[in-house]
Amino acid sequence: MKIGFLASHRGSDMQAVLDACRAGRLHATPAVVISNNGDAEALVRAEREGIPHYHLSGTTHSDPEALDAAILDSLVGHGVEWVLLAGYLKKLGPRTLGAFRGRVLNIHPALLPKHGGQGLYGDRVHAAVLAAGERETGVTIHLVDEEYDHGAIVAQCTVPVVAGDTVASLSARVIEREHVFLVETLERLAVQ
């Protein structure tokens, strides 16, 4: 399984996958990292790990079709089989989605279809969970389609919401579970 990562910021999910690959727990090859943010920590992580990495965005390609083509060319050029959106906050273009249909995964820090959609990412999701008075939240890994947080669910796990939770405490508990659950899910997909 050759994985291409798209990340907008820290890339902590990506790092969990890289660590699992290095430790031999996940039989996959990190092939390329692409970020829409030239200052993303994910690009620093990729450089440190010796993984090809690129800043591809509206800044580097003002035409959306050219950006879509550049992302697709990079993924194909590095032999990517699966694409993992690890905190990537942009929609993929139609060419990239078409070429990797059914092989683009996103990780969402809640139990979709609740608390998903445009603008609901990171701490905003946890704030929405707490505001709704949910007793549990979780992690959803789903296939990516043309809409935010909409594609078919591949796997879900729950995380309890406990009395006195803040956005920070809930976020910390979800991300800890997210890193483990992502690797477990990729392990299952790698042997299918």
Side-chain angles (χ1 to χ4, degrees):
M1 172 186 273
K2 290 185 80 172
I3 302 174
F5 298 90
L6 278 79
S8 292
H9 295 290
R10 290 184 338 202
S12 68
D13 284 320
M14 178 188 81
Q15 189 65 57
V17 172
L18 298 179
D19 292 346
C21 290
R22 191 179 326 100
R25 293 190 323 272
L26 176 60
H27 299 291
T29 302
V32 65
V33 176
I34 298 169
S35 181
N36 62 302
N37 174 1
D39 296 323
E41 188 178 340
L43 295 175
V44 174
R45 291 176 192 260
E47 183 171 2
R48 187 171 52 233
E49 299 281 346
I51 300 167
H53 52 284
Y54 305 95
H55 167 219
L56 299 174
S57 69
T59 302
T60 63
H61 295 79
S62 59
D63 175 38
E65 289 181 17
L67 175 58
D68 186 16
I71 291 171
L72 178 58
D73 289 349
S74 180
L75 294 170
V76 170
H78 289 283
V80 168
E81 297 166 324
W82 282 87
V83 177
L84 180 61
L85 305 188
Y88 190 66
L89 301 180
K90 299 290 185 181
K91 283 187 177 182
L92 290 180
R95 291 180 65 189
T96 301
L97 271 179
F100 287 94
R101 178 83 51 199
R103 295 180 292 131
V104 182
L105 297 171
N106 184 50
I107 309 103
H108 187 75
L111 297 173
L112 292 175
K114 287 184 177 183
H115 311 297
Q118 186 170 3
L120 279 173
Y121 57 88
D123 285 348
R124 294 176 181 188
V125 174
H126 306 303
V129 167
L130 293 172
E134 302 287 358
R135 296 178 70 181
E136 69 178 10
T137 186
V139 177
T140 302
I141 298 173
H142 67 94
L143 294 175
V144 173
D145 63 15
E146 290 78 12
E147 297 179 46
Y148 286 110
D149 301 327
H150 177 264
I153 293 171
V154 173
Q156 283 185 315
C157 69
T158 60
V159 174
V161 177
V162 299
D165 254 337
T166 63
V167 168
S169 65
L170 184 57
S171 173
R173 203 163 46 262
V174 170
I175 196 75
E176 182 179 348
R177 182 67 183 112
E178 191 174 305
H179 292 165
V180 173
F181 187 63
L182 173 58
V183 171
E184 292 170 350
T185 302
L186 290 173
E187 285 172 349
R188 261 197 351 268
L189 291 172
V191 297
Q192 288 182 354

